[in-house]
Amino acid sequence: MNIIVIGPQGSGKGTQADLIGPKIGAAKLSTGDLFRAEIAAETPLGLRVKEILASGNLVEDELTLAIVDERLNTLASDGISSYIFDGFPRTTAQAVGLDQLLETRGQKVDAVIELTVPEDVLIERMSSRRVCSGCGANYNLAFQTTQRDDICDQCGGQLVQRPDDMPGAIRKRLQLYNDLTKPLLDFYGARGLVTTVDGNQDVERVQEAIVHALSAAAINSEA
Ligand SMILES: [Zn+2]
C-alpha cells in the first residue's frame, strides 16, 4: 500500500509517517530526510539543495523526482515495495511524476491523508523550535521545557532559533503550501483517495484516525 501524508510544516506529518509506517509495513520516504542526507554528505547536489532551502524556496520538481526515483530503486533492491511519502509530492507536477514512477513499477497511490492544523497553531509550533548551538539537539518549547531557559539539557549549550523558523520564513512556507501543495487535494480528491484528519489533537489520537482511514482505504481498493 502506498500512502501520501499531506500537511503543512508543523502539522506533525513526519511524526505520523514514522509511527504509521511500521504498522502497515511501509517504508517512510521523506524528501526532507533525503535532502538533509545530501547536505550532510556535502555532495554537489546537497550544496545546491542547501542554498535553495536556506532561501525558503522549494527544490525543483525535476531534482526532487530524480532523488525519489533513486530512493525507490534502493528500497526495491532491499525488497521493499510499500511506501509512505512524507513531504512529497509538493506540487502537481511532482504528483504527476510520482504517478509515472509508480506506474513503471506496476504500482499506484492507494491513499492520501491530509492533516489539518489551524494556521495560528502551526505558527506557534514552528516558532517554538530551538536547536542547540553546541550539540545540535532539537527542542520544541511548545511541547517540552528545558531545565534552564534557553539552555540545552544535554550539553549546556545555548539554544537558538534557526533562520527558517523565524516568523517571516514560516509565513513564506505556509504560503507556498497553500499555493502549490493544497491543489494536490483536488488532484487526488478526484480519484476519491483523500481522507482529512484533524492534526490538532494528541499524537495518539491522530495516529488512530489515520489507521482507521487506511483500513477503510484498503477495503475500498480491494473492492
Ligand atoms: Zn546541546
Side-chain angles (χ1 to χ4, degrees), residues 131-139 151-159:
V131 59
C132 173
S133 53
C135 70
N138 289 294
Y139 293 86
I151 298 296
C152 177
D153 284 341
Q154 291 170 39
C155 78
Q158 185 76 33
L159 299 186

Side-chain angles (χ1 to χ4, degrees), residues 45-62:
L45 178 63
L47 296 175
R48 194 162 144 218
V49 166
K50 187 178 182 179
E51 207 171 291
I52 295 167
L53 295 182
S55 63
N57 292 310
L58 294 182
V59 178
E60 301 98 301
D61 294 330
E62 218 168 297

